[in-house]
Amino acid sequence: MIVAEQKPLGEIKEMIADADRVLVVGCGTCVTVCFAGGTKEVDILASSLRMSTKLDGNGKEVDTLTVQRQCEWEYNEPLKERLADYDVVLSLGCGIGVQTLTEQFSEMRFVPGLNTTFLGLP
């Protein structure tokens, strides 16, 4: 089991400040169960980033995608065709998911949107 929580919005905005096009990628397993990085949370965060950056005068294009398991290379294949369209990918996966994405797509910049607080077996 993995437990995570979303980083504060201000911290996320700092990490993506130099990007114009952002892809927020969720994970459909562990972080969905703990309500941190599933489709619902990805959509809410993307909307918050769109509104907040627009109010700051630096509006960003923010799109979303959720894969089944960021920690498994084969589930990340849908990202392959889309990555070239973005400056940065904001991962709402656990630390293992972010690490997997970074290894799999080393030419892309990934930043973590969650703090992993627990890794272990039940």
Side-chain angles (χ1 to χ4, degrees), residues 11-25 46 49 53 58 60-65 79 82-92 98 101-102 105 107-113:
E11 184 177 341
I12 292 171
K13 285 171 57 179
E14 285 179 25
M15 290 188 293
I16 65 166
D18 62 343
D20 293 321
R21 298 167 299 150
V22 179
L23 179 62
V24 182
V25 179
L49 287 170
T53 60
N58 186 22
K60 301 187 182 305
E61 176 187 328
V62 182
D63 295 325
T64 64
L65 177 70
L79 287 169
R82 296 189 62 186
L83 291 179
D85 296 334
Y86 300 95
D87 303 314
V88 66
V89 176
L90 175 63
S91 168
L92 290 193
V98 178
L101 291 173
T102 301
F105 305 108
E107 71 285 352
M108 190 63 198
R109 181 175 157 226
F110 293 91
V111 295

Side-chain angles (χ1 to χ4, degrees), residues 69 71-78 104:
R69 294 177 60 92
C71 60
E72 305 274 343
W73 283 44
E74 61 269 17
Y75 292 108
N76 296 327
E77 283 303 311
Q104 187 173 358

